[in-house]
């Protein structure tokens, strides 16, 4: 394993929690601060760094043959494309349940 491989994995896995918590309006410290937009941007920056390093070292043809990276990348891309939708569904359910039980005030 080289340092580039380590950075590829680290930035790819670091992209997910920052992007997820940013879209779900969770507070997590990132290089850009505590805000939602800052976490989304930091997650996207990590994703771009990871994919750039991977393409630099292995080339585009290796994306499909490297099962670990392809699997992690697939999950991240699915969430990048559908995260806002899932947030809107679960956010509505949470507020509807909290309002009917009187938990939210």
């Amino acid at each position: 394993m080289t340092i580039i491989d380590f950075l590829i994995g680290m930035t790819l896995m670091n992209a997910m929690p920052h992007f997820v918590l940013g879209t779900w309006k969770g507070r997590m410290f990132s290089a850009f601060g505590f805000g939602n937009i800052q976490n989304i941007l930091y997650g996207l920056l990590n994703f771009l760094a990871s994919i750039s390093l991977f393409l630099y070292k292995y080339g585009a043809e290796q994306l499909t043959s490297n099962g670990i990276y392809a699997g992690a990348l697939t999950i991240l891309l699915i969430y990048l494309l559908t995260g806002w939708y899932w947030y809107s569904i679960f956010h509505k359910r949470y507020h509807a349940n909290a309002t009917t039980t009187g938990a939210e005030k």
Side-chain angles (χ1 to χ4, degrees):
M1 179 175 79
T2 66
I3 190 70
I4 292 178
D5 291 325
F6 178 78
L7 291 173
I8 290 168
M10 183 184 74
T11 53
L12 181 64
M13 292 300 102
N14 197 35
M16 182 66 83
H18 285 284
F19 189 82
V20 169
L21 287 173
T23 56
W24 287 63
K25 297 180 178 32
R27 294 183 53 89
M28 179 177 182
F29 185 70
S30 74
F32 302 145
F34 271 112
N36 302 333
I37 299 298
Q38 289 91 333
N39 273 296
I40 291 169
L41 293 175
Y42 189 64
L44 291 174
L45 176 68
N46 275 279
F47 167 70
L48 291 174
S50 178
I51 196 81
S52 298
L53 287 169
F54 187 90
L55 293 174
Y56 169 75
K57 183 165 183 185
Y58 298 108
E61 61 279 352
Q62 292 295 317
L63 277 175
T64 57
S65 64
N66 186 319
I68 293 173
Y69 193 85
L73 185 60
T74 300
I75 295 300
L76 180 60
L77 289 175
I78 288 170
Y79 193 81
L80 287 172
L81 297 173
T82 64
W84 299 104
Y85 171 73
W86 295 114
Y87 173 76
S88 69
I89 287 176
F90 291 114
H91 186 70
K92 286 178 189 173
R93 284 187 188 165
Y94 171 76
H95 285 293
N97 288 339
T99 304
T100 58
T101 61
E104 184 181 324
K105 292 195 180 204

